[in-house]
Amino acid sequence: MATLTAREIELLSSKANSAKEAAYCPYSKFRVGAALLTESGEYFTGANVENASYPVGTCAERVAFGTAVVAGHRQFKAIAVATDISPPASPCGMCRQFMSEFTSRLFPVYMYDKDMNCSVITMGELLPNSFGPEDFRH
Ligand code: THU
């Protein structure tokens, strides 16, 4: 797993926690905040954005990745995801696939619960045997 400094982890966790405040989740009332650290040292945040047509809603992780990608970033160090539950929630299947497009197997996903207790897991653990960009290179 990639090593982060204590400062990077502290910033990721506080930004993910603050990002929950931006959640638009009138249907589930389940706030999710995400903070993504780029290889160049920039932070991008995201929150879930729900929709009256339920499946149209977007998760916090995809908002964070999408925002960073359209800002020109392709290399990432780590993501933090914060919710109001305990134990921490882990990214949904769609987000795992979305994140795997831009990350390696050792990319760390920090997951925070309502009290900011942390679990960390790698992309390779979240989505083993994944289908990705490398499958087009043959
Ligand atoms: N949600 C996320 O934002 N990220 C996840 O990885 C899991 C679920 C959101 C989607 C929806 O707005 C709410 O949490 C309840 O499913």
Side-chain angles (χ1 to χ4, degrees):
M1 195 179 308
T3 45
L4 274 76
T5 66
R7 178 74 182 142
E8 286 172 328
I9 295 171
E10 185 189 314
L11 280 170
L12 274 173
S13 64
S14 65
K15 286 175 185 289
N17 192 41
S18 305
K20 283 191 299 191
E21 287 159 30
Y24 174 76
C25 52
Y27 308 106
S28 71
K29 312 258 194 284
F30 189 90
R31 301 187 308 163
V32 185
L36 176 62
L37 174 59
T38 68
E39 201 61 62
S40 58
E42 288 175 62
Y43 292 84
F44 289 84
T45 59
N48 50 331
V49 182
E50 298 186 345
N51 192 277
S53 177
Y54 292 2
V56 176
T58 306
C59 292
E61 297 91 324
R62 278 177 284 138
V63 172
F65 263 92
T67 306
V69 168
V70 298
H73 298 277
R74 299 290 183 273
Q75 308 285 331
F76 302 99
K77 262 186 168 172
I79 191 168
V81 183
T83 63
D84 296 318
I85 62 166
S86 188
S90 72
C92 79
M94 192 182 279
C95 287
R96 293 177 194 203
Q97 178 65 30
F98 196 95
M99 295 192 294
S100 78
E101 180 77 15
F102 303 103
T103 58
S104 68
R105 296 183 53 75
L106 295 180
F107 179 81
V109 178
Y110 290 82
M111 302 170 292
Y112 292 88
D113 75 1
K114 61 179 170 52
D115 302 313
M116 295 304 283
N117 295 309
C118 179
S119 303
V120 60
I121 193 166
T122 64
M123 267 310 303
E125 290 170 312
L126 283 173
L127 194 67
N129 305 314
S130 61
F131 179 81
E134 65 282 0
D135 293 302
F136 286 95
R137 295 187 200 113
H138 53 76

